[in-house]
Amino acid sequence: IVFLILGIVAVLALIVVLFVGAIVGFVFYTIGNSDAAEAARVYLRTNEKLKSDIGEVKEFGWFVTGQVNYQNAVGEATLHLKVFGEKKTVNATVALSYRSNRGWRVTDASYDRDGQTVELKQPYEPDALPTPSP
C-alpha cells in the first residue's frame, strides 16, 4: 500500500513538474522570439562601442530573459541577453519601448565588463539620424 501511494504521489509530482516546465519553456520561447528581442539583437549586433570591445558579434545565448509588457499601442521591455563576440562574451541589458505601431526602439543599453557596467546608449538619447547621400 505504501508503494502504491508513493507511486501515485511520484506520478502526480512528475505531471506537475512537466506542466510547470512547459509553461516556463513557453515563456522563454515567447520572449526570445518576440519583436522586442529581435530589435535588441539588431541593436547589439550593430553597436560600434560593443563591437570595439568584444569584437564582431558571433551569436547570442539561447535564453533571453526579462520582461515584455505591452497593452494596446504602448509597450515596454527590458531584456537580458548573453552576447558572444570574437574576443569575449558579455551579458547585455537592453531596454526598449513601443509606441503607436512604430516598432520597438532601444531606449537604454548596457553590458557587464569584468564587473563594471558599460553604457552603450544613454537613456532617451536620440537615435542617430541617417546621413543624406550626396
Side-chain angles (χ1 to χ4, degrees), residues 76 95-97 99 106-109 121-127:
E76 300 289 329
L96 304 102
S97 70
R99 301 282 186 265
V106 175
T107 57
D108 188 23
K121 179 174 183 169
Q122 298 301 320
Y124 307 109
E125 174 183 293
D127 291 332

Side-chain angles (χ1 to χ4, degrees), residues 94-108:
V94 181
L96 304 102
S97 70
Y98 177 86
R99 301 282 186 265
S100 303
N101 298 322
R102 293 186 195 157
W104 288 97
R105 299 178 66 111
V106 175
T107 57
D108 188 23

Side-chain angles (χ1 to χ4, degrees), residues 110-130:
S110 63
Y111 67 97
D112 181 51
R113 177 181 58 201
D114 303 323
Q116 292 184 334
T117 300
V118 177
E119 292 293 330
L120 294 173
K121 179 174 183 169
Q122 298 301 320
Y124 307 109
E125 174 183 293
D127 291 332
L129 297 174

Side-chain angles (χ1 to χ4, degrees), residues 82-94:
K82 182 168 270 203
V83 184
F84 295 94
E86 288 178 325
K87 296 188 260 182
K88 63 170 82 167
T89 301
V90 297
N91 293 314
T93 301
V94 181

Side-chain angles (χ1 to χ4, degrees), residues 10-123:
V11 168
L12 289 175
L14 179 63
I15 290 171
V16 168
V17 167
L18 289 174
F19 185 71
V20 170
I23 291 172
V24 169
F26 177 74
V27 168
F28 277 119
Y29 177 81
T30 302
I31 292 173
N33 290 303
S34 67
D35 291 339
E38 185 56 32
R41 286 185 193 99
V42 168
Y43 179 81
L44 293 171
R45 201 178 300 274
T46 59
N47 186 278
E48 293 301 322
K49 188 172 185 180
L50 180 64
K51 287 198 289 190
S52 70
D53 192 21
I54 70 166
E56 198 67 37
V57 174
K58 293 293 189 185
E59 63 181 313
F60 295 93
W62 282 50
F63 292 112
V64 176
T65 60
Q67 59 185 11
V68 177
N69 300 314
Y70 57 93
Q71 187 175 48
N72 299 328
V74 178
E76 300 289 329
T78 303
L79 303 175
H80 307 281
L81 301 97
K82 182 168 270 203
V83 184
F84 295 94
E86 288 178 325
K87 296 188 260 182
K88 63 170 82 167
T89 301
V90 297
N91 293 314
T93 301
V94 181
L96 304 102
S97 70
Y98 177 86
R99 301 282 186 265
S100 303
N101 298 322
R102 293 186 195 157
W104 288 97
R105 299 178 66 111
V106 175
T107 57
D108 188 23
S110 63
Y111 67 97
D112 181 51
R113 177 181 58 201
D114 303 323
Q116 292 184 334
T117 300
V118 177
E119 292 293 330
L120 294 173
K121 179 174 183 169
Q122 298 301 320

